[in-house]
Amino acid sequence: MVGGKSHDSGDSPYDILLVEDNPGDVRLLQEAMRDTQIESTIHVVTDGAAALEFVHQEEDYEVVPSPDLMLLDLNLPQTDGIDVLCELDECGLTYMPVIVLSSSSADEDIRQAYECGANAYLSKPLDPTEFVRLVQSITQFWFSSAQLPSLESSGD
């Protein structure tokens, strides 16, 4: 159960915020999610500034749902992924799991991501089949195994 939703109870689909500026990676992730048994809605933003507006429900995102999971690229236009993580941490939005999916495997990026509150840091596989498997394992874990507080108890 994530974000107060239980998949078996017939509640609405899980809301995943994908912060990714590479259209190919967006397409691969969407295809991977179609193959899972988990009902979800994927919301895509292509830069860090839009990601922050989405989670704060500002500007064009005033009526969007609170994400149950964020998949975050680091190398983004405008506001990069590390800045997004640090802002989420500073604003107390740590109840939302954030998984960094990055092409970078630099120790400094990994360290900074965890320092700013990432729940996991995963390097994007180059092979599309491996990428699909990775996405499926992420969603299976977070939506079938992990237990997180409901949004009602997060002060939201």
Side-chain angles (χ1 to χ4, degrees):
M1 184 161 77
V2 172
K5 296 180 187 177
S6 172
H7 186 59
D8 295 332
S9 70
D11 286 341
S12 58
Y14 292 109
D15 290 293
I16 299 172
L17 177 57
L18 174 60
V19 187
E20 175 60 67
D21 63 331
N22 181 326
D25 287 346
V26 170
R27 184 181 46 76
L28 273 174
L29 184 126
Q30 290 170 328
E31 288 175 11
M33 288 304 299
R34 277 193 288 273
D35 293 340
T36 69
Q37 300 299 315
I38 295 170
E39 190 178 348
S40 63
T41 301
I42 301 170
H43 307 272
V44 179
V45 296
T46 57
D47 63 68
L52 292 171
E53 289 172 1
F54 192 104
V55 298
H56 291 299
Q57 296 176 316
E58 299 172 340
E59 302 295 330
D60 295 336
Y61 306 103
E62 289 180 3
V63 294
V64 298
S66 295
D68 297 299
L69 175 70
M70 179 188 289
L71 301 175
L72 177 66
D73 187 18
L74 285 189
N75 301 315
L76 298 166
Q78 295 187 39
T79 305
D80 71 16
I82 295 295
D83 290 338
V84 170
L85 281 168
C86 290
E87 169 74 17
L88 294 175
D89 190 43
E90 289 171 13
C91 292
L93 292 173
T94 55
Y95 61 87
M96 177 182 50
V98 179
I99 310 304
V100 173
L101 278 176
S102 181
S103 55
S104 170
S105 58
D107 286 340
E108 180 66 14
D109 288 340
I110 296 167
R111 184 188 57 73
Q112 283 185 320
Y114 280 114
E115 284 178 355
C116 288
N119 294 91
Y121 190 105
L122 304 169
S123 295
K124 293 178 190 173
L126 297 176
D127 179 81
T129 302
E130 290 300 315
F131 186 85
V132 167
R133 282 191 201 126
L134 179 65
V135 168
Q136 291 173 343
S137 67
I138 291 168
T139 55
Q140 284 296 328
F141 175 77
W142 285 105
F143 296 138
S144 297
S145 301
Q147 293 184 349
L148 299 169
S150 67
L151 293 177
E152 292 80 29
S153 66
S154 68
D156 210 21

